[in-house]
Amino acid sequence: MGKLLIVGTVAFDAIETPFGKTDKILGGAATYIGLAASQFNVESAIVSIVGDDMPEEYLTLLKDKNIDLSGLEIVKGGKTFYWKGKYHNDLNSRDTLVTELNVLADFNPVVPSGFKDADVVMLGNLHPSVQLSVINQMEKRPKLIVLDTMNFWMDNSLPELVEVIKHIDVITINDEEARQLSGEYSLVKAAAKIEKMGPKYVVIKKGEHGALLFHKKEVFFAPALPLEEVFDPTGAGDTFAGGFSGYLTQTENISFNNMKNAIIQGSNLASFCVEKFGTERIKKLTKEETTKRLHQFKTLSQFDIELQ
Amino acid sequence: MGKLLIVGTVAFDAIETPFGKTDKILGGAATYIGLAASQFNVESAIVSIVGDDMPEEYLTLLKDKNIDLSGLEIVKGGKTFYWKGKYHNDLNSRDTLVTELNVLADFNPVVPSGFKDADVVMLGNLHPSVQLSVINQMEKRPKLIVLDTMNFWMDNSLPELVEVIKHIDVITINDEEARQLSGEYSLVKAAAKIEKMGPKYVVIKKGEHGALLFHKKEVFFAPALPLEEVFDPTGAGDTFAGGFSGYLTQTENISFNNMKNAIIQGSNLASFCVEKFGTERIKKLTKEETTKRLHQFKTLSQFDIELQ
C-alpha cells in the first residue's frame, strides 16, 4: 500500500451560496484532499495546524477514514484558520468576507517520522515556504510531488512560489492562474512555460469546463460532468487534487497514461463535492456511487470513430 | 451518396483580430458549412442570395468543392450581405462594426428541385422564417433537420424561432443562447427544456471549452483541441455545423453513437478554421491533415480506466 503525505489547511469555513448558507463548518484544503484520497487504498497522513476550538467530532471524522493525524498540531488556546465567503449567482466567482489566519500565521509543519518516506506528497494550497519546508523534511525523494497553489501566492509570494515549484513534479492551478504565472494567454503556451519552471506535468483546472493535463507534447482533457445543480463549489479543487494524488498513490504508476486516469478520478470525486455544502457529500461517498459515476464519465467522453 | 441541403448566408466579412485585419473577404454561414461538409462524401447544395458584386472566384471556389449553387440567387445590381467585426484581445467576444443586410433583406429561399428530397437539411443562422420556408418546400421529410441560430433571433424574432424549432431534429446554439432560450442556468436543465420545444437533440457549443450533445438522459462531450494560437474565430460555429451535418449525411446513420462521432468531426474541422483568417485554412484542408488531427482528438480525450 502506497503512502500519501498531505499538507494543507484544516479550517473552519462559513459559506453562502444562492441556495443557502452555513455557520462555521469543517473545511480546509487538507480536509478535502484527505477525504477524497480516502476513497483509495492508501496510507495517508495530514500535516496541518488547528486551534483547540476544533471540535473532536471533526478530527474523529478524519481518523475514521484512516488518516494519520500525528502531524496535525493542536495549539492550546489557539484559534483555527477561518474563511467566510459568498458565491455569486453563477457560482463561478465569490467574495471573501472574512479571512482569519489565526494559528496558521505561525505554522511550522512537522512531517511525522513514519511519513518521511511517503511515495507521494500532495502539497495543498498554502504559503509556498511551508510547502518547501515539507519537501525538505523528506528522507528520500518521493516518487511524486504534487503542488496546488493559487493567485494569492503569485501576487504576494512569487519568489517563494517560483522556488518551491522547482522541486515538484506536478502543479495544479486554474486557467487564470496559469495565465498569470506564465504571462501567456494560450493555455498550451502557458503550460509549456510553466514546465520550464520545474514541474514536468501541468494540470490546468477549468471548473465546470473540465481539466487539462500537459506533459511535453502530450495533452489530455477530462470533462467535468454536466450537473443539474451545483450547490457549493467550495473544496472542489482540493477534492480533485485528493482524487488525483490518492489514485496515483494507490496504483503506484506515474505514467502519463495512468495520470489520465488520475485526472478522471479527481474530476469524478469533485463532481460529488459540489452537490452539497462543504464536506457533506464527499465524507459519505460509497464505492458504488463513485464507480457508477466513472461509467458516466466514460459514456460522456468516449467515442469510437473509425480512422484510417 | 447522401444529399445535404445547406441554407445560410454567403457574405462579405471584414475582420479585425489582435493579429491583423482583412478587407472584405468571403464569409457567411452557408460558405463555411459548405466548405466543411465538402470534406465528406456528400452531394450538397447551397440555398442563399448574393449581389452581383460577389466575385466569380468565390463562387468558383464553392463549385470546385462540388457544391451545387443552382439555389444561389444572384441579384443583378444588388449588394451582398456585409458584416464587419472586431474581436477583443481574448478572442472570446467581439463588436459588430457594420451590418449591411443588402439583398438578404428580401431573401425568399428557393430549394432546387433536385434537393427537395435531401437526406439532411442544415439550416444555418438566418431569420427563422427563412429557415421554416425551406423546411416547407421539402417534398419528403428529411431524415434529419439541423438548425443553427443565435441570440439575435431570440431577441428579435422569438415567436418565429419557437415555431421553426418545433419542426427540427437538432439545434446547435452556444451556452449563453441555451440559457437565454430556456431560462435555465444549468446546461443540463436548459437542454431538457429545449428538447421539450421540439428538437430531439440539443448541441451546446462552448467555443474553446468544447461542445455538449444532449438527448433525453444521454450526454456526450467533445473537447476543443487546445491550440497554441487562435487566429480568427469567425466561422468556427458554422464550420462545426458543416462538419456535423456533412458527416451524418455521408454515414447515413443518425444514432446517438454516430452523432458523437459527428460532434468530434465538427470540432475537428472547427479547430482548423480558427488557425487563419476567414476561409483560408478550411478551404485548403486535406484528408491527411484532418485524419491526423482526429487522432489527436482521440489521444486528447480517450482513457482506459478499469471499472468493476
Side-chain angles (χ1 to χ4, degrees), chain A residues 89-92 175 179 185-189 206 208-209 212 214 217-224 226-229 247 256-257 260-262 264-265 287 291 294-308, chain B residues 89-92 175 179 185-189 206 208-209 212 214 217-224 226-229 247 256-257 260-262 264-265 287 291 294-308:
Chain A
N89 275 338
D90 66 1
L91 292 169
N92 282 326
D175 40 2
R179 286 170 175 143
Y185 184 79
S186 152
L187 296 180
V188 177
K189 289 187 179 175
K206 305 201 296 171
E208 59 168 327
H209 300 305
L212 287 157
F214 291 93
K217 291 283 166 204
E218 297 186 277
V219 199
F220 177 67
F221 175 82
L227 295 170
E228 288 217 9
E229 300 274 22
Y247 180 77
F256 187 78
N257 262 339
K260 290 182 176 187
N261 294 340
I264 294 289
Q265 295 278 2
K287 181 87 181 163
T291 303
L294 280 174
H295 281 284
Q296 287 180 266
F297 269 89
K298 274 209 151 177
T299 315
L300 177 67
S301 55
Q302 306 304 283
F303 58 90
D304 194 18
I305 213 164
E306 265 180 57
L307 300 176
Q308 288 86 349
Chain B
N89 274 338
D90 65 2
L91 292 170
N92 282 326
D175 40 0
R179 286 171 176 142
Y185 184 79
S186 152
L187 297 179
V188 177
K189 288 186 179 175
K206 304 201 297 170
E208 60 168 327
H209 300 305
L212 285 158
F214 291 93
K217 291 283 168 206
E218 296 184 279
V219 198
F220 176 66
F221 176 83
L227 296 170
E228 287 216 11
E229 299 274 20
Y247 180 77
F256 187 78
N257 262 340
K260 290 182 176 186
N261 294 340
I264 295 289
Q265 295 278 3
K287 182 87 183 162
T291 303
L294 279 174
H295 281 283
Q296 288 180 267
F297 268 89
K298 274 209 153 178
T299 316
L300 177 67
S301 55
Q302 305 304 284
F303 57 89
D304 193 19
I305 210 163
E306 265 180 58
L307 300 176
Q308 287 87 349

Side-chain angles (χ1 to χ4, degrees), chain A residues 161-173:
Chain A
L161 180 60
V162 167
E163 180 57 31
V164 69
I165 68 174
K166 288 181 191 164
H167 302 275
I168 64 167
D169 303 299
V170 185
I171 187 169
T172 73
I173 44 182

Side-chain angles (χ1 to χ4, degrees), chain A residues 69-82:
Chain A
L69 295 187
S70 61
L72 178 75
E73 184 183 349
I74 302 175
V75 180
K76 278 255 165 83
K79 289 181 71 182
T80 299
F81 173 58
Y82 170 48

Side-chain angles (χ1 to χ4, degrees), chain B residues 126-152:
Chain B
L126 260 184
H127 194 295
S129 301
V130 173
Q131 295 175 318
L132 185 60
S133 158
V134 168
I135 296 176
N136 288 336
Q137 291 175 53
M138 301 308 288
E139 275 169 5
K140 60 169 197 176
R141 175 65 165 80
K143 286 180 198 140
L144 196 74
I145 304 178
V146 185
L147 176 140
D148 186 48
T149 189
M150 70 184 293
N151 53 357
F152 181 83

Side-chain angles (χ1 to χ4, degrees), chain A residues 178-233:
Chain A
R179 286 170 175 143
Q180 180 174 350
L181 187 58
S182 65
E184 293 284 351
Y185 184 79
S186 152
L187 296 180
V188 177
K189 289 187 179 175
K193 267 208 179 172
I194 294 169
E195 279 186 41
K196 287 198 180 132
M197 299 170 80
K200 289 183 284 292
Y201 301 87
V202 177
V203 175
I204 299 181
K205 300 174 286 182
K206 305 201 296 171
E208 59 168 327
H209 300 305
L212 287 157
L213 167 66
F214 291 93
H215 173 59
K216 293 179 182 165
K217 291 283 166 204
E218 297 186 277
V219 199
F220 177 67
F221 175 82
L225 198 72
L227 295 170
E228 288 217 9
E229 300 274 22
V230 172
F231 194 78
D232 171 21

Side-chain angles (χ1 to χ4, degrees), chain A residues 38-262:
Chain A
S38 75
Q39 290 290 325
F40 303 97
N41 193 16
V42 299
E43 205 177 322
S44 69
I46 286 178
V47 170
S48 191
I49 188 167
V50 292
D52 58 7
D53 56 348
M54 175 60 60
E56 191 56 37
E57 62 167 299
Y58 287 161
L59 302 182
T60 304
L61 166 66
L62 298 172
K63 282 181 202 156
D64 284 351
K65 302 285 183 185
N66 289 316
I67 302 170
D68 181 314
L69 295 187
S70 61
L72 178 75
E73 184 183 349
I74 302 175
V75 180
K76 278 255 165 83
K79 289 181 71 182
T80 299
F81 173 58
Y82 170 48
W83 175 82
K84 181 175 182 173
K86 181 177 174 170
Y87 287 87
H88 301 159
N89 275 338
D90 66 1
L91 292 169
N92 282 326
S93 55
R94 67 186 186 190
D95 295 322
T96 289
L97 305 177
V98 177
T99 307
E100 291 176 9
L101 282 184
N102 297 329
V103 294
L104 196 64
D106 304 304
F107 178 35
N108 283 307
V110 179
V111 178
S113 55
F115 279 84
K116 288 189 175 176
D117 60 351
D119 303 285
V120 176
V121 174
M122 178 67 234
L123 301 164
N125 176 39
L126 261 184
H127 194 296
S129 300
V130 172
Q131 294 175 318
L132 185 60
S133 157
V134 168
I135 296 175
N136 288 335
Q137 291 175 54
M138 300 308 286
E139 274 169 5
K140 58 168 197 176
R141 175 64 164 82
K143 286 181 199 141
L144 195 75
I145 303 178
V146 185
L147 176 141
D148 186 50
T149 189
M150 71 185 291
N151 53 357
F152 180 84
W153 308 114
M154 297 174 195
D155 294 334
N156 298 293
S157 309
L158 187 60
E160 294 91 333
L161 180 60
V162 167
E163 180 57 31
V164 69
I165 68 174
K166 288 181 191 164
H167 302 275
I168 64 167
D169 303 299
V170 185
I171 187 169
T172 73
I173 44 182
N174 74 28
D175 40 2
E176 283 318 306
E177 289 156 356
R179 286 170 175 143
Q180 180 174 350
L181 187 58
S182 65
E184 293 284 351
Y185 184 79
S186 152
L187 296 180
V188 177
K189 289 187 179 175
K193 267 208 179 172
I194 294 169
E195 279 186 41
K196 287 198 180 132
M197 299 170 80
K200 289 183 284 292
Y201 301 87
V202 177
V203 175
I204 299 181
K205 300 174 286 182
K206 305 201 296 171
E208 59 168 327
H209 300 305
L212 287 157
L213 167 66
F214 291 93
H215 173 59
K216 293 179 182 165
K217 291 283 166 204
E218 297 186 277
V219 199
F220 177 67
F221 175 82
L225 198 72
L227 295 170
E228 288 217 9
E229 300 274 22
V230 172
F231 194 78
D232 171 21
T234 309
D238 301 314
T239 300
F240 174 87
F244 177 77
S245 55
Y247 180 77
L248 290 174
T249 308
Q250 174 186 283
T251 53
E252 302 185 66
N253 169 354
I254 55 172
S255 68
F256 187 78
N257 262 339
N258 199 46
M259 277 203 195
K260 290 182 176 187
N261 294 340

Side-chain angles (χ1 to χ4, degrees), chain B residues 165-308:
Chain B
I165 68 174
K166 287 180 191 165
H167 303 274
I168 64 166
D169 302 300
V170 185
I171 187 170
T172 72
I173 43 182
N174 74 28
D175 40 0
E176 284 319 306
E177 290 156 354
R179 286 171 176 142
Q180 181 174 348
L181 187 58
S182 65
E184 292 285 350
Y185 184 79
S186 152
L187 297 179
V188 177
K189 288 186 179 175
K193 267 207 180 174
I194 294 169
E195 280 186 40
K196 288 199 179 130
M197 300 169 81
K200 290 184 282 292
Y201 301 87
V202 177
V203 175
I204 299 181
K205 300 173 287 182
K206 304 201 297 170
E208 60 168 327
H209 300 305
L212 285 158
L213 167 67
F214 291 93
H215 173 59
K216 293 179 182 165
K217 291 283 168 206
E218 296 184 279
V219 198
F220 176 66
F221 176 83
L225 199 71
L227 296 170
E228 287 216 11
E229 299 274 20
V230 172
F231 194 78
D232 170 21
T234 308
D238 302 313
T239 301
F240 174 87
F244 177 77
S245 55
Y247 180 77
L248 289 174
T249 307
Q250 173 186 282
T251 53
E252 302 185 67
N253 169 354
I254 55 172
S255 67
F256 187 78
N257 262 340
N258 200 47
M259 278 205 193
K260 290 182 176 186
N261 294 340
I263 297 267
I264 295 289
Q265 295 278 3
S267 303
N268 188 37
L269 295 180
S271 79
F272 287 102
C273 178
V274 302
E275 289 183 337
K276 289 196 179 175
F277 267 129
T279 60
E280 282 307 309
R281 188 73 176 92
I282 193 88
K283 75 181 181 193
K284 289 179 184 161
L285 262 184
T286 65
K287 182 87 183 162
E288 200 182 350
E289 287 174 313
T290 58
T291 303
K292 187 174 169 200
R293 198 165 283 186
L294 279 174
H295 281 283
Q296 288 180 267
F297 268 89
K298 274 209 153 178
T299 316
L300 177 67
S301 55
Q302 305 304 284
F303 57 89
D304 193 19
I305 210 163
E306 265 180 58
L307 300 176
Q308 287 87 349

